[in-house]
Amino acid sequence: MDVNGKAVVVIGAGDVGMDVCTMAWQNGATSTHCRRYPRTGQFSRERAGAMALGTKVLWPRVVRSFEAGKVVFEAVSPFQPTW
């Protein structure tokens, strides 16, 4: 997938999600955002590396829609399940 010059959104902010963000930066992404839920105390070297490159971790957010190539997020209470 060509991400050069594109904004990247990753659903999931675990170690693999952070690796995806790092690879997106290395392949020319203009920005990366991760969506995570629920909030955890985990802080891995993958997360540290991706955030050092500029990855923004969005919490608490849910994806409301994907319209015309844009992801629409909505803030939610961290104490209310979204399912």
Side-chain angles (χ1 to χ4, degrees):
M1 178 180 288
D2 180 18
V3 297
N4 189 39
K6 297 178 182 175
V8 174
V9 175
V10 177
I11 307 301
D15 290 346
V16 173
M18 294 294 109
D19 287 340
V20 170
C21 288
T22 297
M23 292 178 69
W25 284 114
Q26 293 170 346
N27 286 284
T30 59
S31 67
T32 65
H33 290 79
C34 280
R35 181 266 185 204
R36 72 177 179 147
Y37 192 88
R39 185 175 186 178
T40 64
Q42 178 215 20
F43 194 83
S44 65
R45 72 170 186 256
E46 288 85 359
R47 180 169 292 154
M51 292 178 75
L53 292 171
T55 296
K56 305 293 183 209
V57 178
L58 305 176
W59 178 88
R61 301 282 193 275
V62 294
V63 176
R64 284 294 164 212
S65 63
F66 182 74
E67 302 167 1
K70 295 185 187 268
V71 178
V72 178
F73 292 101
E74 181 177 322
V76 295
S77 168
F79 305 108
Q80 291 181 324
T82 56
W83 55 87

